Each structure stands twice: as structure tokens, then as C-alpha cells.
Amino acid sequence: MITKANIALLKAFAVLISVLMFSVSINTYADSMRCKNRLVSTGDSKATVLLKCGEPWLKEDHSYTVTEKRNSDIYRYNQQDNGFNGHGASREVTRLIKVEKWTYNVGRNKFLRIITFKEGMIESIETGDRAN
């Protein structure tokens, strides 16, 4: 038997599902950008963005260094045991990280779209100020 309480519960559940689906679509949009009828998203390469969106309105780049500790196994031959003995050694490695920001002006009074590339791949896509 269907009661008013069951109907109210089903309506509340339907609203909850709608809100959850809407929030998922907002998160998807935040990590992607439409260029005409093509989509670029987090993880795409600079070449893919150039093919789909063309040249950006503005390019900015900078770099920073990161120092990491890396472990490596060093093996030494032990004649007495007829085998290899290994021990771990760590060393510091410094590498340069290249970051580029490409800004696309998608039209008058529309929001600028800013794509941040880290080591050649899209790390994030943000919305900027309104274009003039």
C-alpha cells in the first residue's frame, strides 16, 4: 500500500539524486573546457589543446625546482655466499618543473578560461575575469 509518507520519502530521494547529479556535472565542467564542438580536459597534452582550441590569447610560463630523495638498490657480488647482496642507498635528485598558463578569450563579456600545464599536460582549467 502506498502511503503519503512513502510518497514524501520517494520525492526527497529524487531531490537528493538530482542534487548529487548536478554537483557531479559541475565538477566535470571545472576540469574541462569546450572549444567550439571539442572538449579538452585535465591530463590532455599541449598538442591536443592546440589542435582543438588553437593558439591562446596569452601565454605565461615559469619554472621551479624540486629536490627529491630517491632510493636505489646497489648490489654487490659476494663470492663467499655465491650470490648478490644488496643494500639500499638514497640520493637527492633536483629537477626543473616547467609550468605554463594559457589564457583563452572565448568572447566579449564571457569569462576567460585559463589552462595550467605542468610538464606539458593540463593540470587544471580555471575560469578568470570577464573579457572586455
Side-chain angles (χ1 to χ4, degrees):
M1 177 187 264
I2 298 177
T3 64
K4 287 184 180 182
N6 287 344
I7 291 172
L9 185 61
L10 286 173
K11 285 182 180 179
F13 183 71
V15 168
L16 178 64
I17 293 298
S18 298
V19 168
L20 287 173
M21 289 178 69
F22 181 72
S23 67
V24 168
S25 68
I26 287 174
N27 288 340
T28 301
Y29 178 73
D31 293 328
S32 62
M33 180 175 107
R34 187 163 300 282
C35 298
K36 296 175 188 160
N37 62 348
R38 296 177 173 178
L39 194 67
V40 294
S41 56
T42 305
D44 286 349
S45 68
K46 289 192 297 184
T48 299
V49 175
L50 280 173
L51 285 172
K52 292 182 178 182
C53 303
E55 283 291 328
W57 180 61
L58 175 69
K59 284 185 181 180
E60 303 170 271
D61 63 331
H62 70 277
S63 303
Y64 62 93
T65 57
V66 173
T67 302
E68 302 169 332
K69 278 193 174 184
R70 293 195 180 165
N71 292 325
S72 62
D73 290 326
I74 299 172
Y75 292 95
R76 293 189 179 151
Y77 185 72
N78 184 334
Q79 289 181 343
Q80 187 176 19
D81 295 333
N82 271 339
F84 288 93
N85 292 334
H87 67 279
S90 65
R91 60 189 172 106
E92 288 188 350
V93 175
T94 301
R95 61 188 184 104
L96 187 69
I97 306 292
K98 186 174 181 182
V99 178
E100 291 183 62
K101 287 192 178 214
W102 291 6
T103 302
Y104 283 88
N105 184 343
V106 293
R108 185 173 171 82
N109 290 325
K110 294 190 177 180
F111 291 102
L112 298 172
R113 300 293 291 182
I114 303 160
I115 300 177
T116 302
F117 294 93
K118 186 174 180 182
E119 297 184 319
M121 306 299 273
I122 295 179
E123 181 180 57
S124 67
I125 301 173
E126 304 167 58
T127 301
D129 295 333
R130 282 192 188 269
N132 293 337

